[in-house]
């Protein structure tokens, strides 16, 4: 792979902008090792907490349209103590940067899980303060709580901390700025969008929990919009997430202001999409004589005529 796709976030070197999103293939070391061999740039684990958690009953994830999913897993995970050997095995086997997604009981609980993950050898922490169908959902709706949780985790570890934020808010800019002010090394947007699907025969919710989080192709324009809105207001990197399936999708996020992207739902189609995305990006950069993908970051913000356009008055 050429150097055209390389970049760094907080000192962590990534060979390309594709990162496994949390909640997808992120528990079993075998799955993550397979993705690393397939050429993924980095990996984020399933969100792990202080103790084993079963989550919600099935059905907890359904495909409601082509490439669009609704899930309400409920942060099911084996607990940090059981997951430590998994982190160690992954880091012993692969060279791809490993980001561990964490949650806990209050700010100190988040920090405790983060410290244990760091000691196990991970490269960065992602704080899940935005899952729309769990207790953490309300954290990134609040400037105060976002600062408190981010700062507490940041002070507890010596590795980079990424804050994953929710799109389920009227104005996300103050939340992103709060995370940056509290020491976050990067912002991850978006988590899933609150949504509901009903059975047409009975009217019953299709998920056991009822309301869930929407992911996949349908949410990409939302993710791109959120990255676009945040980019002018913060200096730390943004990792875009939501509906990335092709190299053109990656470019869209980069144009909006993202440094990298996370990929989740698309892996339902297999790990071959990694090579399809990276080779597509390399070809595009080569054809357009661009030295590195990061040269295109934020390009959408340069079109002043569009940004300053005002609606015309009725005659």
């Amino acid at each position: 792979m050429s150097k055209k796709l390389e970049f760094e976030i907080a000192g962590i070197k990534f060979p390309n902008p594709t990162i496994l999103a949390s909640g997808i293939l992120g528990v079993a070391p075998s799955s993550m090792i397979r993705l690393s061999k397939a050429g993924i740039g980095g990996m984020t684990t399933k969100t792990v907490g202080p103790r084993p958690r079963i989550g919600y009953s099935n059905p907890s994830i359904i495909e409601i349209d082509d490439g669009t999913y609704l899930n309400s897993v409920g942060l099911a995970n084996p607990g940090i103590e059981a997951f430590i050997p998994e982190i160690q095995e992954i880091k012993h086997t692969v060279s791809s940067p490993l980001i561990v997604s964490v949650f806990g009981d209050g700010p100190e609980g988040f920090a405790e899980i983060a410290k244990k993950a760091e000691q196990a050898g991970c490269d960065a922490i992602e704080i899940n303060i935005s899952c729309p169908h769990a207790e953490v959902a309300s954290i990134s709706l609040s400037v105060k709580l976002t600062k408190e949780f981010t700062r507490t985790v940041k002070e507890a570890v010596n590795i980079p901390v990424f804050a994953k934020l929710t799109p389920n808010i009227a104005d996300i800019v103050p939340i992103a700025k709060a995370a940056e002010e509290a020491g976050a090394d990067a912002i991850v947007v978006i988590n899933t969008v609150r949504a509901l699907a009903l059975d047409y025969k009975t009217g019953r919710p299709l998920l056991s929990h009822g309301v869930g989080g929407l992911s996949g192709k349908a949410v990409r324009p939302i993710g791109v919009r959120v990255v676009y809105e945040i980019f002018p207001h913060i200096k730390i990197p943004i990792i875009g997430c939501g509906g990335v399936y092709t190299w053109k999708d990656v470019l869209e996020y980069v144009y909006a202001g993202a440094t990298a992207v996370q990929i989740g739902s698309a892996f339902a189609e297999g790990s071959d999409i990694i090579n399809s995305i990276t080779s597509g990006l390399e070809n595009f950069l080569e054809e357009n004589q661009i030295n590195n993908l990061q040269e295109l970051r934020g390009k959408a913000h340069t079109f002043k005529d569009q940004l300053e356009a005002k609606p015309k008055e009725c005659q």
Side-chain angles (χ1 to χ4, degrees):
M1 190 172 296
S2 74
K3 293 185 177 182
K4 290 181 178 293
L5 302 182
E6 293 180 348
F7 67 97
E8 289 188 17
I9 293 180
I12 302 175
K13 296 181 179 181
F14 293 83
N16 68 71
T18 64
I19 301 173
L20 172 67
S22 176
I24 306 293
L25 304 175
V27 174
S30 59
S31 298
M32 302 184 81
I33 292 169
R34 185 170 69 251
L35 289 179
S36 180
K37 291 180 178 179
I40 200 162
M43 300 176 293
T44 311
T45 69
K46 181 79 176 71
T47 302
V48 62
R51 63 192 69 88
R53 179 171 168 135
I54 296 175
Y56 297 122
S57 303
N58 288 325
S60 59
I61 181 168
I62 54 174
E63 185 174 18
I64 61 173
D65 206 345
D66 179 36
T68 298
Y69 298 85
L70 190 63
N71 87 85
S72 186
V73 177
L75 296 179
N77 75 96
I80 186 62
E81 298 302 334
F83 197 54
I84 286 174
E86 312 292 330
I87 297 172
Q88 294 171 334
E89 180 179 349
I90 295 167
K91 286 302 299 177
H92 179 73
T93 309
V94 306
S95 59
S96 304
L98 180 65
I99 305 157
V100 173
S101 176
V102 305
F103 80 104
D105 302 320
E108 292 75 18
F110 269 70
E112 184 63 29
I113 305 303
K115 284 191 290 187
K116 291 183 178 181
E118 177 186 28
Q119 292 165 359
C122 72
D123 299 288
I125 298 294
E126 179 179 282
I127 52 173
N128 184 351
I129 54 176
S130 55
C131 179
H133 45 77
E135 302 93 317
V136 301
S138 63
I139 299 173
S140 69
L141 296 176
S142 163
V143 166
K144 180 181 178 181
L145 291 177
T146 297
K147 281 187 176 180
E148 182 181 7
F149 278 74
T150 304
R151 182 177 291 114
T152 302
V153 174
K154 182 63 179 175
E155 292 176 349
V157 299
N158 296 307
I159 55 177
V161 174
F162 305 160
K164 189 169 186 177
L165 306 183
T166 180
N168 302 305
I169 188 171
D171 185 2
I172 195 173
V173 171
I175 306 298
K177 291 172 69 175
E180 180 181 44
E181 291 168 5
D185 296 281
I187 299 295
V188 181
V189 283
I190 56 176
N191 210 320
T192 53
V193 180
R194 280 177 59 83
L196 176 67
L198 304 175
D199 183 87
Y200 77 94
K201 293 181 180 178
T202 65
R204 182 188 180 108
L206 292 176
L207 292 178
S208 66
H209 181 246
V211 173
L214 191 71
S215 66
K217 294 180 179 179
V219 306
R220 188 179 73 253
I222 300 173
V224 172
R225 183 264 301 173
V226 171
V227 171
Y228 183 86
E229 288 180 341
I230 291 174
F231 178 73
H233 301 282
I234 64 174
K235 296 180 180 179
I236 58 176
I238 303 170
I239 301 173
C241 183
V244 174
Y245 275 70
T246 71
W247 63 270
K248 294 179 182 178
D249 299 338
V250 177
L251 277 178
E252 196 171 3
Y253 270 105
V254 172
Y255 287 148
T259 294
V261 299
Q262 290 188 352
I263 303 173
S265 299
F267 285 121
E269 299 182 1
S271 59
D272 289 344
I273 64 164
I274 299 171
N275 182 64
S276 176
I277 289 173
T278 55
S279 61
L281 288 171
E282 288 179 332
N283 290 337
F284 177 84
L285 297 176
E286 185 68 30
E287 291 171 2
N288 290 276
Q289 299 182 332
I290 298 168
N291 293 323
N292 188 277
L293 179 64
Q294 298 306 313
E295 295 177 21
L296 301 177
R297 184 163 54 91
K299 183 180 179 180
H301 297 266
T302 64
F303 298 99
K304 298 297 183 181
D305 56 336
Q306 179 179 349
L307 297 177
E308 297 173 359
K310 296 181 179 179
K312 295 180 180 179
E313 297 291 338
C314 294
Q315 300 299 320

